[in-house]
Amino acid sequence: MVEYSISEDVGVLTFNNKDAKVNTLTSAVMEMFFDHLQKINNDKSIKCLVITSDKPGVFIAGADINEIKDIRLSDKAELLLHQGHKILNFLASLTIPTIANIEGVCLGGGLELALACDFRISSLADSTKIGLPEVNLGIIPGFGGTQRLSRLIGLIDSLGLILTGKPVSSKKALRLGLVDGCYPEGFKLEFQNKFVSSVLNSKDRKKIVLKRKLSFGKKFMQSNIFGRAFVLSSSRKKVLSKTKGNYPAQEKALLAVVKGFAMPLNKALGFEIKNFIQCLKTPVCESLINLFFLHEAQKKFRLNGVDAKPVKQASVIGSGLMGSGISWSLIHSNIAVVLKDLTSKDLLKGLAQIQSIYSQLKKIRKINSRQVSLELHRLSLFSDDSYLNQVDFIIEAIPEDKSLKANLYKDLESKVDKSTIIASNTSSIDIDALSKSFKVPERFIGMHFFSPVNRMPLVEIIPSKLTSKETISTTVEMVKKMKKVPIVVNNCPGFLVNRIFLPYVNEAIFCLLDGASISQIDRVFEKFGMPMGPLALADNVGLDVGIKVLCVLEEAYSDRMYVSDFAKNVLYDKTLLGKKSKKGFYDYTNKKKVPNSQILEKVNSFRTSKADISDQDILNRCVFVMINEATRCLDENIVENAAVLDLAMIMGTGFPPFTGGLCNYADYIGLDNIVDELDVLNRLYGKRFEPSNYLLDCVKHKKTLRN
């Protein structure tokens, strides 16, 4: 796992866990590493130590998450942290120069190990990502990262890395002073040897260290108590504005970095351990770690014993917002795409949408012009069907109209190869009903992407009763190749996520009609942790689209998904489409989002009550209606289990990750409490709140949803 070799007078420690895809710092690996360090310390012939990896694309991916999970509720956490500090402190105390040669992923404990070295160099390969992502697991760096990073690159830049948890490229790491040199991919040994020579030359070594010098402003801000107090105060405001106080790890990380900076290193490391353990004991940490394992398991999901067909050429039919987003995701994943629509004008609009995604990525330096050019070469635009016999996979992304889609499928099937898979990006239409349009229904499948496609990681995969296993397997593998998370769900109107989530939006509209204000409703859910409130979200999706899908669900589920006359009235008002018409629940015409007076007039004409409605009532009504529908989905086996349902809701709707997901949240507040509240709401507002039999059964037998 850790191999030691000597090249002339340079010691080389190489990480390479042959039993795993990545190198991690397990307790066993750390002990082996420490043994080697002690031998190196006693060998006076060694003039320099290089720490590297033989694992392709990986330096060290971090600590072992399984061990972190195991120590959460035990007394071993402090012991493990002290042992880690002891080993990395020993590395930092070696009298010979130490160099971390980073090629590939260097995250968490991997970076903390590199920070304990005197110098760091890194490959310019795209796979090289350097960072401290611990806050995403509800903890903080625990092997010295909060202290050594700030002492290396300064207080302000270290907070930027630690509080966001986002990794940086080698180029940015060089600009920050996090690494001391970079080399082109394929020149690892040549650059390493040259850098070792420079480090062993005292003049060259001083020049390398001098390049790390902070700007006067950054140095001044961290060098006095008033500057640090300002950094702490301003950073806390930024953290709270983003987390709403729901993610304690960010606040603990901030304290550890800023307050620890003023302490001697040994004392500061102890302060880090104290804050780490406080994070470890929170339910947020438990939720985020469980979510991590769920995510990893779903990324590896595949149908056992069923091989997927290779997809070399795909086609997307429909160049609207969804079709262009899907096309971008495919070409960005190295899959050639033919984008088809009825007219050249439509295709050019789709191309403009794809280019706007690239412009956003270029603006935040996620991609460069050369990469954009290469990816766009994978895209072809067609308004005819001449290419159809050449594609392996077709994704239909035309408007949500059953007859329109059925006619398209009949035409498509006569023009494509018998083995070509055809998928529909429908968000609500019954897949079994759509499959009846095919002579070979085994090739057809539902493939529901979420908007905006370039940002949302979830794809629901919905087989019909006749879809072949090969079709399912091929679709799953293609979604994984697109770096998205596939979740296979059984067919029903609305599938899984929309069936659960749209009643939440619908209930928000009912709250509006019952006396709540637009801004109050959205504020409640922003505070709860949703990315945006339900009414602002409806504007973003498009009121015509959202309410049309609500009507589809009403047709399928009748009273429990009843859509108000107000909502249906809005559906037919073409001036109120949301953001795309600059007016919906909010008015966007003056570049400011304010409640729309036009829609408020409509509300007043339909409003059933002008009574005050509390924030808690709004929260309970909208969230409990989701929980109730989720239990029906579990009862009908629409999804594998409650844990996968939770992952789908987090990735498909932005349900607050710190809660662990909808079902986990329900278990936390108590299913008996939910049933009691649903009974009250059922009497007040009708059948949409009637507790499901599954939920009642769980309460009767004292079961939870997740266990």
Side-chain angles (χ1 to χ4, degrees):
M1 290 186 285
V2 186
E3 299 167 354
Y4 178 51
S5 61
I6 301 173
S7 178
E8 297 180 2
D9 52 2
V10 176
V12 180
L13 280 176
T14 304
F15 284 83
N16 189 2
N17 185 351
K18 294 180 173 62
D19 297 325
K21 288 185 177 180
V22 297
N23 296 322
T24 55
L25 296 180
T26 63
S27 296
V29 168
M30 289 292 279
E31 286 298 329
M32 189 181 297
F33 179 64
F34 188 38
D35 288 343
H36 287 309
L37 289 180
Q38 290 174 306
K39 291 173 185 175
I40 291 164
N41 186 51
N42 294 326
D43 189 344
K44 304 305 177 186
S45 67
I46 303 299
K47 299 293 188 291
C48 181
L49 172 64
V50 174
I51 300 173
T52 186
S53 166
D54 261 356
K55 184 76 67 178
V58 179
F59 175 65
I60 300 171
D64 184 356
I65 308 298
N66 282 297
E67 286 192 355
I68 294 173
K69 186 178 181 181
D70 289 343
I71 65 169
R72 265 202 76 252
L73 300 176
S74 73
D75 296 326
K76 295 179 181 177
E78 192 166 354
L79 182 66
L80 182 68
L81 290 169
H82 278 295
Q83 184 65 9
H85 280 206
K86 174 186 172 183
I87 294 167
L88 295 189
N89 286 343
F90 189 85
L91 169 62
S93 70
L94 291 178
T95 55
I96 57 173
T98 52
I99 303 166
N101 187 349
I102 300 165
E103 186 174 39
V105 173
C106 175
L107 300 173
L111 178 54
E112 290 176 294
L113 185 149
L115 287 169
C117 295
D118 300 312
F119 304 94
R120 287 146 297 280
I121 58 176
S122 66
S123 165
L124 290 167
D126 290 341
S127 62
T128 302
K129 301 293 178 188
I130 303 171
L132 294 170
E134 283 86 349
V135 292
N136 297 322
L137 293 173
I139 53 178
I140 68 172
F143 280 175
T146 63
Q147 307 308 318
R148 289 194 172 94
L149 184 64
S150 59
R151 285 160 172 77
L152 177 66
I153 66 172
L155 202 55
I156 294 170
D157 286 334
S158 65
L159 286 173
L161 282 173
I162 292 171
L163 296 182
T164 65
K166 293 179 180 177
V168 296
S169 65
S170 289
K171 285 184 179 178
K172 185 165 184 181
L174 185 62
R175 289 197 301 271
L176 290 171
L178 181 52
V179 299
D180 301 298
C182 296
Y183 53 87
E185 192 172 3
F187 289 85
K188 180 178 179 178
L189 289 178
E190 291 88 339
F191 190 86
Q192 177 179 297
N193 293 336
K194 184 179 178 182
F195 193 82
V196 167
S197 298
S198 297
V199 164
L200 292 175
N201 181 295
S202 58
K203 288 184 179 180
D204 290 342
R205 185 164 66 246
K206 285 180 183 178
K207 288 178 183 177
I208 294 168
V209 174
L210 282 172
K211 286 181 181 178
R212 302 174 184 168
K213 191 175 180 180
L214 294 177
S215 68
F216 173 78
K218 289 179 180 178
K219 194 171 183 180
F220 177 77
M221 285 299 292
Q222 67 187 36
S223 63
N224 63 86
I225 189 172
F226 302 106
R228 292 193 296 273
F230 175 78
V231 170
L232 181 62
S233 175
S234 59
S235 297
R236 180 179 277 126
K237 285 179 183 177
K238 289 179 183 177
V239 165
L240 289 175
S241 71
K242 288 183 179 180
T243 68
K244 306 294 188 294
N246 293 319
Y247 294 86
Q250 274 85 342
E251 295 177 65
K252 292 294 182 183
L254 177 59
L255 283 175
V257 173
V258 179
K259 291 196 171 184
F261 189 83
M263 301 175 184
L265 182 59
N266 283 343
K267 187 176 179 181
L269 291 172
F271 188 57
E272 177 187 84
I273 290 175
K274 178 183 175 183
N275 281 279
F276 183 100
I277 291 171
Q278 287 175 353
C279 290
L280 200 65
K281 301 295 184 182
T282 63
V284 174
C285 175
E286 180 181 14
S287 293
L288 293 178
I289 288 177
N290 287 339
L291 183 61
F292 170 84
F293 283 107
L294 271 172
H295 190 189
E296 290 300 302
Q298 206 60 34
K299 285 195 297 186
K300 296 170 185 174
F301 170 81
R302 67 188 307 272
L303 290 186
N304 292 329
V306 182
D307 292 331
K309 288 169 51 183
V311 176
K312 296 178 182 177
Q313 177 84 45
S315 175
V316 176
I317 299 178
S319 59
L321 188 66
M322 294 302 292
S324 55
I326 294 166
S327 298
W328 174 84
S329 290
L330 288 163
I331 62 174
H332 190 56
S333 306
N334 202 27
I335 299 172
V337 173
V338 176
L339 179 58
K340 181 187 182 300
D341 215 317
L342 296 174
T343 68
S344 298
K345 185 178 179 181
D346 292 325
L347 288 167
L348 289 174
K349 284 182 181 178
L351 178 60
Q353 182 62 33
I354 291 168
Q355 289 172 327
S356 73
I357 295 172
Y358 281 120
S359 295
Q360 293 166 19
L361 292 174
K362 283 172 68 177
K363 191 174 182 180
I364 58 174
R365 296 182 178 180
K366 291 286 186 182
I367 201 167
N368 59 44
S369 298
R370 176 179 166 276
Q371 290 169 303
V372 172
S373 180
L374 286 171
E375 291 186 11
L376 283 172
H377 273 90
R378 299 182 192 126
L379 179 69
S380 303
L381 306 178
F382 274 81
S383 57
D384 61 48
D385 299 333
S386 58
Y387 66 92
L388 284 176
N389 60 353
Q390 302 170 27
V391 299
D392 309 303
F393 202 108
I394 296 174
I395 301 173
E396 163 270 303
I398 65 174
E400 286 285 273
D401 185 301
K402 184 177 175 182
S403 61
L404 193 66
K405 290 177 186 288
N407 289 334
L408 172 66
Y409 301 150
K410 288 174 184 176
D411 183 54
L412 272 179
E413 197 168 23
S414 65
K415 296 174 180 176
V416 301
D417 188 83
K418 290 181 179 179
S419 63
T420 302
I421 292 170
I422 300 173
S424 175
N425 179 49
T426 177
S427 59
S428 60
I429 300 175
D430 187 287
I431 296 298
D432 286 325
L434 289 177
S435 73
K436 292 176 182 176
S437 305
F438 288 89
K439 292 179 181 177
V440 186
E442 293 82 2
R443 67 163 76 194
F444 177 66
I445 195 165
M447 195 178 184
H448 179 210
F449 290 83
F450 291 78
S451 182
V453 180
N454 57 304
R455 292 183 184 175
M456 299 299 283
L458 181 71
V459 179
E460 284 181 315
I461 296 171
I462 314 102
S464 77
K465 291 175 182 176
L466 300 173
T467 303
S468 71
K469 288 187 177 180
E470 183 185 53
T471 297
I472 300 171
S473 182
T474 301
T475 306
V476 165
E477 293 308 312
M478 192 172 80
V479 169
K480 285 157 66 174
K481 189 174 180 181
M482 294 169 77
K483 296 183 174 63
K484 293 187 179 291
V485 179
I487 291 184
V488 178
V489 301
N490 286 322
N491 180 45
C492 67
F495 315 133
L496 177 69
V497 173
N498 278 350
R499 177 177 165 180
I500 295 170
F501 189 66
L502 283 173
Y504 153 83
V505 178
N506 197 33
E507 194 57 38
I509 296 172
F510 278 117
C511 288
L512 182 63
L513 295 173
D514 289 339
S517 70
I518 292 171
S519 54
Q520 179 192 11
I521 292 166
D522 281 351
R523 186 188 68 246
V524 165
F525 289 99
E526 286 167 8
K527 186 178 179 182
F528 179 65
M530 299 295 284
M532 64 177 69
L535 303 181
L537 177 67
D539 276 358
N540 275 267
V541 171
L543 298 191
D544 54 336
V545 175
I547 295 173
K548 191 173 182 179
V549 176
L550 276 173
C551 290
V552 171
L553 296 182
E554 180 188 34
E555 185 180 348
Y557 300 110
S558 62
D559 287 351
R560 80 167 189 263
M561 295 199 191
Y562 164 71
V563 180
S564 67
D565 291 337
F566 160 76
K568 290 173 183 174
N569 182 275
V570 170
L571 172 62
Y572 296 110
D573 189 334
K574 300 304 178 186
T575 66
L576 297 173
L577 303 180
K579 261 193 167 181
K580 58 189 173 186
S581 67
K582 296 193 175 179
K583 283 190 177 182
F585 287 105
Y586 293 91
D587 188 328
Y588 305 88
T589 51
N590 294 319
K591 296 183 179 180
K592 287 184 178 180
K593 190 180 84 171
V594 295
N596 182 10
S597 58
Q598 184 182 346
I599 213 163
L600 288 174
E601 288 176 13
K602 288 179 178 288
V603 168
N604 287 330
S605 65
F606 284 94
R607 188 164 258 174
T608 55
S609 167
K610 291 188 178 180
D612 289 338
I613 178 169
S614 73
D615 290 357
Q616 191 62 49
D617 283 342
I618 293 169
L619 183 68
N620 286 353
R621 283 173 62 173
C622 295
V623 175
F624 287 7
V625 80
M626 281 197 289
I627 292 170
N628 206 19
E629 198 60 36
T631 62
R632 291 188 176 97
C633 290
L634 293 172
D635 193 26
E636 296 168 25
N637 294 315
I638 299 301
V639 65
E640 183 182 351
N641 55 47
V644 176
L645 187 154
D646 280 348
L647 183 66
M649 291 300 292
I650 289 169
M651 300 199 135
T653 73
F655 195 85
F658 74 88
T659 65
L662 183 65
C663 295
N664 195 66
Y665 176 73
D667 288 340
Y668 177 74
I669 60 179
L671 301 187
D672 52 346
N673 294 325
I674 293 170
V675 167
D676 289 345
E677 181 67 14
L678 284 172
D679 282 334
V680 173
L681 294 172
N682 186 24
R683 290 195 296 273
L684 289 173
Y685 303 109
K687 274 200 162 185
R688 65 183 186 273
F689 288 107
E690 186 177 1
S692 74
N693 291 331
Y694 188 93
L695 188 54
L696 292 170
D697 187 68
C698 284
V699 171
K700 181 180 178 181
H701 295 96
K702 296 182 179 179
K703 295 189 294 185
T704 60
L705 300 180
R706 283 284 293 261
N707 299 314

